[in-house]
Amino acid sequence: MLDRVTSAAAEWTPPPPRSTSGSPARRSQSRPRQAPSVGQSEDRGHSQEFLHRHAPHSAPRAHLGGHAAASEHLRRDEGRRCDRARRDRDPGLYGVRPLARTLSVSQGKGHSLLLAKISAVMESIELWHAEYGCPPPDVRDVPAVDLGLPYRLEQLDNYPGGLVGDRTPLDWLSGRGLVGGSSLLVPHHMVHMARNLTSDWSPLGMRNGSNGLASGNNVPEATLHAVYEVLERNSLRHLTTSLDGRVNIDPASVEDPACAELIDKILDADAVFEIAMVPNRWGIACFVAYVWSHDFPVFSVGSGAHASVGVALSRAITESVQSRLTAISGTRDDLAPMYAHVQRRSGELPPVPRDLASFAEISSEGGGPEFDDVEAELAWISRRIQDFTGVEPIAVNLSTSEDFAVVKVVAPGLRFADRHVVPRPRY
């Protein structure tokens, strides 16, 4: 099924929107008492759009039809795509895998309908590789203390109070250190994602999610995407509902052409839109974006991180719109319980930030150095992680095709929130 979906993706367009002429506007005069944030879960924070620093808003080098080879791995799942956005708004789509072992629905977003289709398909492919394409363990039933690892299990992002320790027999998978290049072992359970019932024992307390799972045209590109996702989640961990050091930005001051176009679309739809830069120790740009509207009165949130300020902001904007569309359509397995709040439709819009910085000021201070090569950028950011944690990040190659790459990155020493939620301060 997926081969037919991917080969026809570039030609597929959504049906025209139904006319609403002659229909009176139906908007409640009351607004909600509070507006909880709607965001992505721990399983997919955001999908990859193959956007790199030097072509942040262009189409990917590998066209969608080129990924049709993945159909031999995915045809059992009969991947499906549905459009969730009107053609005059930011494109957002979702793909459905009925035989998924984790989330059945994968979201896609982008600056164009084609990029959104690629995003949805590739996110589905990433999850398939973690579910069905993960290789068997290289080492079985051996405790960490007997392996001479350069890290301790307590340095991994395990759940508090977990029962797994350095003397717990575990299965292990080989990965590659992103600084030294040597072969290093990581727990198989942190890479393989399968939540169906089996007779296999699952280590209690060891986190098993898609944080650090990414794809790309090749292994270095996929690994770089995965590393940036890991650093984004780590940076967001420090956000709270109090004033937490984030810098709020005036959306009207954004000069990046592609991001400014997206913001104009959101504001033209009579929505409230907020952007904030998230301080971090990595020397990269990290943003959060919130969307609120009268017809769906909760804050939907997105985030993004990258060495390029424009790419990071673009990801945050498109993900915030994606989160809103996902919540409205109900097309996700693990949506937060926000619908009772929407149904009440009472109260006032929560206060919005008043002290806003200009985007020019932020962009001159944030972001990393310029790179002409993906591998050089990956080496730079990997060394920064090692300098802070004392342990180099580790990449496990899950690729099953020469047409694209899928990688899982494990970064000992970094912590993340229990769920991928992005708090909004009470201004």
PDB file of all heavy atoms in Angstrom, residues 29-50:
ATOM      1  N   GLN A  29     -19.466  33.933  22.714  1.00  0.00           N
ATOM      2  CA  GLN A  29     -19.024  35.192  23.293  1.00  0.00           C
ATOM      3  C   GLN A  29     -18.146  34.973  24.512  1.00  0.00           C
ATOM      4  O   GLN A  29     -17.482  35.884  24.965  1.00  0.00           O
ATOM      5  CB  GLN A  29     -20.255  36.039  23.681  1.00  0.00           C
ATOM      6  CG  GLN A  29     -21.129  36.380  22.495  1.00  0.00           C
ATOM      7  CD  GLN A  29     -20.371  37.175  21.457  1.00  0.00           C
ATOM      8  OE1 GLN A  29     -19.646  38.096  21.802  1.00  0.00           O
ATOM      9  NE2 GLN A  29     -20.514  36.814  20.191  1.00  0.00           N
ATOM     10  N   SER A  30     -18.200  33.779  25.072  1.00  0.00           N
ATOM     11  CA  SER A  30     -17.397  33.504  26.267  1.00  0.00           C
ATOM     12  C   SER A  30     -16.137  32.764  25.872  1.00  0.00           C
ATOM     13  O   SER A  30     -16.066  32.115  24.844  1.00  0.00           O
ATOM     14  CB  SER A  30     -18.197  32.648  27.261  1.00  0.00           C
ATOM     15  OG  SER A  30     -18.583  31.431  26.666  1.00  0.00           O
ATOM     16  N   ARG A  31     -15.136  32.845  26.753  1.00  0.00           N
ATOM     17  CA  ARG A  31     -13.864  32.197  26.514  1.00  0.00           C
ATOM     18  C   ARG A  31     -13.494  31.352  27.719  1.00  0.00           C
ATOM     19  O   ARG A  31     -14.075  31.490  28.783  1.00  0.00           O
ATOM     20  CB  ARG A  31     -12.767  33.257  26.253  1.00  0.00           C
ATOM     21  CG  ARG A  31     -13.066  34.112  25.022  1.00  0.00           C
ATOM     22  CD  ARG A  31     -11.989  35.135  24.809  1.00  0.00           C
ATOM     23  NE  ARG A  31     -12.348  36.047  23.739  1.00  0.00           N
ATOM     24  CZ  ARG A  31     -11.626  37.103  23.414  1.00  0.00           C
ATOM     25  NH1 ARG A  31     -10.516  37.379  24.078  1.00  0.00           N
ATOM     26  NH2 ARG A  31     -12.009  37.895  22.435  1.00  0.00           N
ATOM     27  N   PRO A  32     -12.483  30.475  27.595  1.00  0.00           N
ATOM     28  CA  PRO A  32     -12.195  29.519  28.663  1.00  0.00           C
ATOM     29  C   PRO A  32     -11.599  30.176  29.901  1.00  0.00           C
ATOM     30  O   PRO A  32     -10.953  31.223  29.823  1.00  0.00           O
ATOM     31  CB  PRO A  32     -11.196  28.569  28.008  1.00  0.00           C
ATOM     32  CG  PRO A  32     -10.543  29.391  26.961  1.00  0.00           C
ATOM     33  CD  PRO A  32     -11.602  30.317  26.454  1.00  0.00           C
ATOM     34  N   ARG A  33     -11.815  29.538  31.044  1.00  0.00           N
ATOM     35  CA  ARG A  33     -11.221  30.028  32.291  1.00  0.00           C
ATOM     36  C   ARG A  33      -9.709  29.866  32.256  1.00  0.00           C
ATOM     37  O   ARG A  33      -8.971  30.667  32.777  1.00  0.00           O
ATOM     38  CB  ARG A  33     -11.812  29.260  33.476  1.00  0.00           C
ATOM     39  CG  ARG A  33     -13.251  29.623  33.783  1.00  0.00           C
ATOM     40  CD  ARG A  33     -13.683  28.993  35.080  1.00  0.00           C
ATOM     41  NE  ARG A  33     -13.683  27.551  35.023  1.00  0.00           N
ATOM     42  CZ  ARG A  33     -14.727  26.834  34.627  1.00  0.00           C
ATOM     43  NH1 ARG A  33     -15.829  27.434  34.211  1.00  0.00           N
ATOM     44  NH2 ARG A  33     -14.675  25.521  34.607  1.00  0.00           N
ATOM     45  N   GLN A  34      -9.248  28.761  31.666  1.00  0.00           N
ATOM     46  CA  GLN A  34      -7.825  28.516  31.546  1.00  0.00           C
ATOM     47  C   GLN A  34      -7.580  27.958  30.156  1.00  0.00           C
ATOM     48  O   GLN A  34      -8.503  27.574  29.459  1.00  0.00           O
ATOM     49  CB  GLN A  34      -7.331  27.504  32.588  1.00  0.00           C
ATOM     50  CG  GLN A  34      -7.356  28.051  34.012  1.00  0.00           C
ATOM     51  CD  GLN A  34      -6.872  27.008  34.976  1.00  0.00           C
ATOM     52  OE1 GLN A  34      -7.133  25.829  34.815  1.00  0.00           O
ATOM     53  NE2 GLN A  34      -6.165  27.445  36.001  1.00  0.00           N
ATOM     54  N   ALA A  35      -6.340  27.899  29.788  1.00  0.00           N
ATOM     55  CA  ALA A  35      -5.994  27.370  28.471  1.00  0.00           C
ATOM     56  C   ALA A  35      -4.809  26.439  28.594  1.00  0.00           C
ATOM     57  O   ALA A  35      -3.663  26.855  28.473  1.00  0.00           O
ATOM     58  CB  ALA A  35      -5.679  28.500  27.500  1.00  0.00           C
ATOM     59  N   PRO A  36      -5.027  25.170  28.860  1.00  0.00           N
ATOM     60  CA  PRO A  36      -3.916  24.239  28.982  1.00  0.00           C
ATOM     61  C   PRO A  36      -3.225  24.038  27.645  1.00  0.00           C
ATOM     62  O   PRO A  36      -3.835  24.147  26.598  1.00  0.00           O
ATOM     63  CB  PRO A  36      -4.597  22.945  29.454  1.00  0.00           C
ATOM     64  CG  PRO A  36      -5.992  23.049  28.936  1.00  0.00           C
ATOM     65  CD  PRO A  36      -6.335  24.509  28.995  1.00  0.00           C
ATOM     66  N   SER A  37      -1.930  23.760  27.690  1.00  0.00           N
ATOM     67  CA  SER A  37      -1.177  23.566  26.462  1.00  0.00           C
ATOM     68  C   SER A  37      -1.446  22.198  25.883  1.00  0.00           C
ATOM     69  O   SER A  37      -1.534  21.206  26.599  1.00  0.00           O
ATOM     70  CB  SER A  37       0.322  23.723  26.740  1.00  0.00           C
ATOM     71  OG  SER A  37       0.599  25.042  27.162  1.00  0.00           O
ATOM     72  N   VAL A  38      -1.556  22.148  24.579  1.00  0.00           N
ATOM     73  CA  VAL A  38      -1.675  20.896  23.854  1.00  0.00           C
ATOM     74  C   VAL A  38      -0.385  20.699  23.102  1.00  0.00           C
ATOM     75  O   VAL A  38       0.008  21.545  22.300  1.00  0.00           O
ATOM     76  CB  VAL A  38      -2.852  20.935  22.862  1.00  0.00           C
ATOM     77  CG1 VAL A  38      -2.927  19.631  22.091  1.00  0.00           C
ATOM     78  CG2 VAL A  38      -4.144  21.197  23.607  1.00  0.00           C
ATOM     79  N   GLY A  39       0.311  19.603  23.351  1.00  0.00           N
ATOM     80  CA  GLY A  39       1.578  19.371  22.682  1.00  0.00           C
ATOM     81  C   GLY A  39       1.728  17.931  22.285  1.00  0.00           C
ATOM     82  O   GLY A  39       0.825  17.116  22.444  1.00  0.00           O
ATOM     83  N   GLN A  40       2.916  17.593  21.776  1.00  0.00           N
ATOM     84  CA  GLN A  40       3.187  16.230  21.378  1.00  0.00           C
ATOM     85  C   GLN A  40       3.558  15.410  22.596  1.00  0.00           C
ATOM     86  O   GLN A  40       3.980  15.921  23.612  1.00  0.00           O
ATOM     87  CB  GLN A  40       4.338  16.205  20.360  1.00  0.00           C
ATOM     88  CG  GLN A  40       4.045  17.020  19.104  1.00  0.00           C
ATOM     89  CD  GLN A  40       2.920  16.448  18.291  1.00  0.00           C
ATOM     90  OE1 GLN A  40       2.569  15.280  18.439  1.00  0.00           O
ATOM     91  NE2 GLN A  40       2.330  17.261  17.441  1.00  0.00           N
ATOM     92  N   SER A  41       3.440  14.095  22.457  1.00  0.00           N
ATOM     93  CA  SER A  41       3.760  13.212  23.571  1.00  0.00           C
ATOM     94  C   SER A  41       5.240  12.880  23.554  1.00  0.00           C
ATOM     95  O   SER A  41       6.000  13.313  22.709  1.00  0.00           O
ATOM     96  CB  SER A  41       2.959  11.910  23.465  1.00  0.00           C
ATOM     97  OG  SER A  41       3.492  11.104  22.438  1.00  0.00           O
ATOM     98  N   GLU A  42       5.649  12.011  24.463  1.00  0.00           N
ATOM     99  CA  GLU A  42       7.033  11.609  24.528  1.00  0.00           C
ATOM    100  C   GLU A  42       7.437  10.825  23.296  1.00  0.00           C
ATOM    101  O   GLU A  42       8.611  10.687  22.993  1.00  0.00           O
ATOM    102  CB  GLU A  42       7.268  10.736  25.765  1.00  0.00           C
ATOM    103  CG  GLU A  42       6.451   9.454  25.742  1.00  0.00           C
ATOM    104  CD  GLU A  42       6.728   8.581  26.942  1.00  0.00           C
ATOM    105  OE1 GLU A  42       7.801   8.703  27.511  1.00  0.00           O
ATOM    106  OE2 GLU A  42       5.876   7.777  27.289  1.00  0.00           O
ATOM    107  N   ASP A  43       6.487  10.276  22.553  1.00  0.00           N
ATOM    108  CA  ASP A  43       6.839   9.379  21.473  1.00  0.00           C
ATOM    109  C   ASP A  43       7.250  10.088  20.212  1.00  0.00           C
ATOM    110  O   ASP A  43       8.098   9.625  19.494  1.00  0.00           O
ATOM    111  CB  ASP A  43       5.662   8.434  21.171  1.00  0.00           C
ATOM    112  CG  ASP A  43       5.442   7.467  22.299  1.00  0.00           C
ATOM    113  OD1 ASP A  43       6.383   6.731  22.609  1.00  0.00           O
ATOM    114  OD2 ASP A  43       4.354   7.459  22.890  1.00  0.00           O
ATOM    115  N   ARG A  44       6.634  11.191  19.880  1.00  0.00           N
ATOM    116  CA  ARG A  44       7.113  11.944  18.738  1.00  0.00           C
ATOM    117  C   ARG A  44       7.045  13.421  19.069  1.00  0.00           C
ATOM    118  O   ARG A  44       5.983  14.014  19.032  1.00  0.00           O
ATOM    119  CB  ARG A  44       6.296  11.682  17.485  1.00  0.00           C
ATOM    120  CG  ARG A  44       6.466  10.288  16.933  1.00  0.00           C
ATOM    121  CD  ARG A  44       7.880   9.878  16.719  1.00  0.00           C
ATOM    122  NE  ARG A  44       8.685  10.786  15.957  1.00  0.00           N
ATOM    123  CZ  ARG A  44      10.010  10.720  15.899  1.00  0.00           C
ATOM    124  NH1 ARG A  44      10.676   9.864  16.580  1.00  0.00           N
ATOM    125  NH2 ARG A  44      10.674  11.565  15.183  1.00  0.00           N
ATOM    126  N   GLY A  45       8.103  13.990  19.324  1.00  0.00           N
ATOM    127  CA  GLY A  45       8.132  15.413  19.578  1.00  0.00           C
ATOM    128  C   GLY A  45       7.975  16.211  18.328  1.00  0.00           C
ATOM    129  O   GLY A  45       7.260  17.184  18.285  1.00  0.00           O
ATOM    130  N   HIS A  46       8.659  15.825  17.312  1.00  0.00           N
ATOM    131  CA  HIS A  46       8.436  16.444  16.027  1.00  0.00           C
ATOM    132  C   HIS A  46       9.093  15.580  14.992  1.00  0.00           C
ATOM    133  O   HIS A  46      10.076  14.916  15.206  1.00  0.00           O
ATOM    134  CB  HIS A  46       8.978  17.861  15.961  1.00  0.00           C
ATOM    135  CG  HIS A  46      10.465  17.924  16.093  1.00  0.00           C
ATOM    136  ND1 HIS A  46      11.286  18.115  15.023  1.00  0.00           N
ATOM    137  CD2 HIS A  46      11.246  17.775  17.148  1.00  0.00           C
ATOM    138  CE1 HIS A  46      12.537  18.102  15.425  1.00  0.00           C
ATOM    139  NE2 HIS A  46      12.540  17.912  16.702  1.00  0.00           N
ATOM    140  N   SER A  47       8.572  15.615  13.757  1.00  0.00           N
ATOM    141  CA  SER A  47       9.086  14.787  12.691  1.00  0.00           C
ATOM    142  C   SER A  47      10.167  15.508  11.926  1.00  0.00           C
ATOM    143  O   SER A  47      10.331  16.710  11.994  1.00  0.00           O
ATOM    144  CB  SER A  47       7.961  14.398  11.743  1.00  0.00           C
ATOM    145  OG  SER A  47       7.334  15.548  11.265  1.00  0.00           O
ATOM    146  N   GLN A  48      10.917  14.755  11.136  1.00  0.00           N
ATOM    147  CA  GLN A  48      12.023  15.333  10.395  1.00  0.00           C
ATOM    148  C   GLN A  48      11.571  15.730   9.002  1.00  0.00           C
ATOM    149  O   GLN A  48      10.862  15.018   8.335  1.00  0.00           O
ATOM    150  CB  GLN A  48      13.165  14.308  10.291  1.00  0.00           C
ATOM    151  CG  GLN A  48      13.539  13.703  11.627  1.00  0.00           C
ATOM    152  CD  GLN A  48      13.905  14.757  12.648  1.00  0.00           C
ATOM    153  OE1 GLN A  48      14.439  15.791  12.302  1.00  0.00           O
ATOM    154  NE2 GLN A  48      13.612  14.506  13.896  1.00  0.00           N
ATOM    155  N   GLU A  49      12.052  16.875   8.549  1.00  0.00           N
ATOM    156  CA  GLU A  49      11.693  17.372   7.224  1.00  0.00           C
ATOM    157  C   GLU A  49      12.917  17.479   6.331  1.00  0.00           C
ATOM    158  O   GLU A  49      12.881  18.086   5.268  1.00  0.00           O
ATOM    159  CB  GLU A  49      11.035  18.746   7.351  1.00  0.00           C
ATOM    160  CG  GLU A  49       9.799  18.729   8.195  1.00  0.00           C
ATOM    161  CD  GLU A  49       9.358  20.129   8.564  1.00  0.00           C
ATOM    162  OE1 GLU A  49       9.689  21.069   7.837  1.00  0.00           O
ATOM    163  OE2 GLU A  49       8.694  20.264   9.581  1.00  0.00           O
ATOM    164  N   PHE A  50      14.046  16.871   6.741  1.00  0.00           N
ATOM    165  CA  PHE A  50      15.280  16.931   5.977  1.00  0.00           C
ATOM    166  C   PHE A  50      15.691  18.378   5.700  1.00  0.00           C
ATOM    167  O   PHE A  50      16.085  18.729   4.599  1.00  0.00           O
ATOM    168  CB  PHE A  50      15.152  16.164   4.654  1.00  0.00           C
ATOM    169  CG  PHE A  50      14.702  14.762   4.826  1.00  0.00           C
ATOM    170  CD1 PHE A  50      13.752  14.226   3.986  1.00  0.00           C
ATOM    171  CD2 PHE A  50      15.216  13.980   5.835  1.00  0.00           C
ATOM    172  CE1 PHE A  50      13.330  12.935   4.150  1.00  0.00           C
ATOM    173  CE2 PHE A  50      14.802  12.678   6.002  1.00  0.00           C
ATOM    174  CZ  PHE A  50      13.849  12.155   5.146  1.00  0.00           C
TER     175      PHE A  50
END
